[in-house]
Amino acid sequence: MAEGIGSKKILRLSPDKIVADVEYNGRRYHDSEIEDLTMQILEAGKLLQAVGVAGPYKNGENKGKYRLWFGFRRFLSMSDIIAGGLAASDNEALTMIDCNLISDDPLDDKAAFLANLAENTDRKERTPMDDAVNLVRLVDEFGLTNAEAAKVMR
């Protein structure tokens, strides 16, 4: 495990060590987006930006696994590359997923959702519907006021 920026640590994990909870993904995407990203990663020969994870889980069915907090499209693309054997086996950059360890607590749903929003806030691909769904979740599920939720979404 190598040190990352700030207090983050960089991990290299296989897809089976990552639990992707789609419920906390702050945006929606199409299969064609995943296919395009998969091709871009293969052309680059590596994942250009690590995904964000928390954990590992301490017990239960996911014990020892990490929860994906952001980078869902990258995770899905890398999973396709690895499961499909699309990369040369000697290219370690395409046989494991680079992950920023963001937190030791994989069960913090609010922090997971906020980290995902922060990762995706400036993306052009977000739709007004994505924003509306996220605003409602911030207010209804996490108890933020409308003003606080709007500030998070900026």
Side-chain angles (χ1 to χ4, degrees):
M1 182 177 356
E3 290 297 322
I5 298 170
S7 62
K8 297 178 191 173
K9 294 182 186 250
I10 305 297
L11 307 172
R12 278 215 155 145
L13 300 172
S14 62
D16 65 329
K17 293 291 184 190
I18 300 172
V19 178
D21 188 353
V22 178
E23 179 180 347
Y24 292 98
N25 185 9
R27 57 188 286 260
R28 305 297 170 249
Y29 42 80
H30 302 284
D31 289 343
S32 62
E33 289 180 82
I34 304 302
E35 292 167 6
D36 291 346
L37 183 57
T38 300
M39 294 309 297
Q40 291 171 13
I41 293 169
L42 285 169
E43 287 172 12
K46 63 181 180 177
L47 182 61
L48 297 176
Q49 183 180 2
V51 302
V53 298
Y57 287 96
K58 305 293 187 240
N59 50 44
E61 69 182 76
N62 292 322
K63 183 177 181 177
K65 296 181 180 183
Y66 293 80
R67 180 179 180 189
L68 183 66
W69 273 15
F70 57 80
F72 285 84
R73 290 185 323 140
R74 286 171 270 157
F75 170 77
L76 292 174
S77 291
M78 285 297 295
S79 296
D80 287 350
I81 289 168
I82 294 165
L86 302 177
S89 60
D90 63 340
N91 183 349
E92 186 180 324
L94 290 178
T95 59
M96 302 289 274
I97 300 175
D98 291 338
C99 304
N100 285 325
L101 180 60
I102 306 301
S103 170
D104 294 330
D105 183 3
L107 301 177
D108 189 342
D109 290 344
K110 183 176 179 181
F113 189 68
L114 292 174
N116 188 281
L117 280 179
E119 171 78 3
N120 288 301
T121 295
D122 295 328
R123 296 197 188 275
K124 293 177 186 171
E125 302 94 19
R126 278 188 25 216
T127 68
M129 183 58 83
D130 291 335
D131 288 345
V133 169
N134 291 330
L135 283 168
V136 168
R137 287 194 70 196
L138 286 168
V139 172
D140 291 350
E141 190 171 334
F142 299 116
L144 275 66
T145 66
N146 288 337
E148 291 168 333
K151 188 175 181 179
V152 168
M153 294 299 296
R154 285 189 197 140

